[in-house]
Amino acid sequence: MIKIEKLHKSYPIGKDSLHVLKGIDLHIKEGEFVSIMGSSGSGKSTLLNIVGLLDVHDAGNYFLNGQLIKNMNEKKAAILRNKFLGFVFQSFNLISYKTALENVALPLYYKGLKRKERLKIALDYLEKVGLKEWANHLPNELSGGQKQRVAIARALVTKPKVVLADEPTGALDSGTTDSVMDLLKDINNEGMTVFVITHEQEVAEQTKRIVQLKDGVIINDFLTKEIKKA
């Protein structure tokens, strides 16, 4: 599903450049539940942005669903993102003046679905994350955990092949963190590939594979114990 070979990425800083990713090799098969772990500055967010087609790499190869990602304009990247990827962010990124239902339905607007159909599908996904009764509430009427569940429903509504979660529990307390991770486990158990960026060991240990990044290189890549549903 995701294949990365000898990936490099640098950013200019004045006359110098910062070499963030230094020849990374990574292969994530369809249906895996992987966490990318590392401290701030390790390169994990840069890796996520490249995998998510939000940034471009300097050298090496990146294949998404067998397609080589290279010299792609924003329009083509957006089409691929909409087709294959769902995003969940630490800060939720919900639109404050839209209800939970409208936030979840938004990606379907860009797919050209009619309003009635969009809202019906969005309600199904809110029910899936246990928030059907909160459909008409605005984000400021929801708890942090509820906002993240809305964000996960929004990521799932287009039926992506891969969910990319960037520090999805970073703004949550430990109890809410566990419920959000349980939801990601359920999604993975249904066959979806889940790719989590985190700096928290407890979060990484709830995934099935941990890839550790340090100073732009992978220093460890191992399977955790198989996750069983409670």
Side-chain angles (χ1 to χ4, degrees), residues 8-221:
H8 288 265
K9 178 67 181 179
S10 297
Y11 293 103
I13 299 181
K15 293 179 181 177
D16 300 317
S17 69
L18 179 65
H19 197 177
V20 180
L21 297 179
K22 304 168 183 174
I24 281 180
D25 290 299
L26 180 65
H27 186 193
I28 296 173
K29 298 188 186 76
E30 188 167 356
E32 284 203 82
F33 189 8
V34 181
S35 54
I36 307 293
M37 255 201 94
S39 58
S40 181
S42 61
K44 61 187 189 300
S45 291
T46 299
L47 179 60
L48 179 101
N49 287 339
I50 291 170
V51 169
L53 307 178
L54 300 169
D55 200 354
V56 294
H57 53 285
D58 300 328
N61 294 320
Y62 169 33
F63 296 88
L64 175 62
N65 200 44
Q67 180 174 344
L68 179 64
I69 306 299
K70 192 175 184 182
N71 300 329
M72 193 169 286
N73 63 35
E74 177 50 35
K75 187 177 179 183
K76 278 188 176 175
I79 289 168
L80 271 185
R81 276 198 299 271
N82 288 339
K83 187 174 181 182
F84 289 112
L85 305 172
F87 293 88
V88 180
F89 300 98
Q90 177 177 347
S91 55
F92 319 126
N93 287 15
L94 300 178
I95 296 172
S96 61
Y97 56 86
K98 289 188 178 290
T99 64
L101 184 64
E102 290 167 334
N103 267 284
V104 175
L106 193 60
L108 299 174
Y109 169 81
Y110 296 111
K111 282 190 171 283
L113 272 67
K114 289 187 166 57
R115 178 177 168 80
K116 188 175 178 182
E117 189 180 356
R118 293 198 305 266
L119 295 180
K120 181 182 182 300
I121 294 169
L123 192 61
D124 288 343
Y125 276 86
L126 277 177
E127 184 171 25
K128 187 183 178 79
V129 300
L131 287 179
K132 188 177 180 180
E133 299 77 22
W134 294 82
N136 295 315
H137 288 254
L138 293 170
N140 66 6
E141 299 172 314
L142 304 174
S143 69
Q146 287 172 323
K147 288 178 191 174
Q148 196 57 291
R149 283 172 175 267
V150 171
I152 290 170
R154 181 185 58 191
L156 295 178
V157 76
T158 57
K159 298 182 179 174
K161 295 273 192 185
V162 183
V163 170
L164 300 173
D166 189 5
E167 299 280 4
T169 62
L172 306 175
D173 61 47
S174 58
T176 313
T177 290
D178 287 342
S179 70
V180 166
M181 289 306 295
D182 285 343
L183 188 51
L184 291 176
K185 289 175 199 174
D186 289 341
I187 293 162
N188 175 249
N189 286 331
E190 290 172 11
M192 196 172 289
T193 308
V194 182
F195 183 101
V196 178
I197 296 287
T198 185
H199 66 277
E200 299 176 76
Q201 185 74 35
E202 316 86 75
V203 169
E205 285 172 355
Q206 294 188 61
T207 67
K208 294 178 181 175
R209 176 182 169 196
I210 298 175
V211 177
Q212 292 178 320
L213 270 183
K214 185 177 181 182
D215 298 330
V217 296
I218 292 173
I219 59 168
N220 222 337
D221 184 347

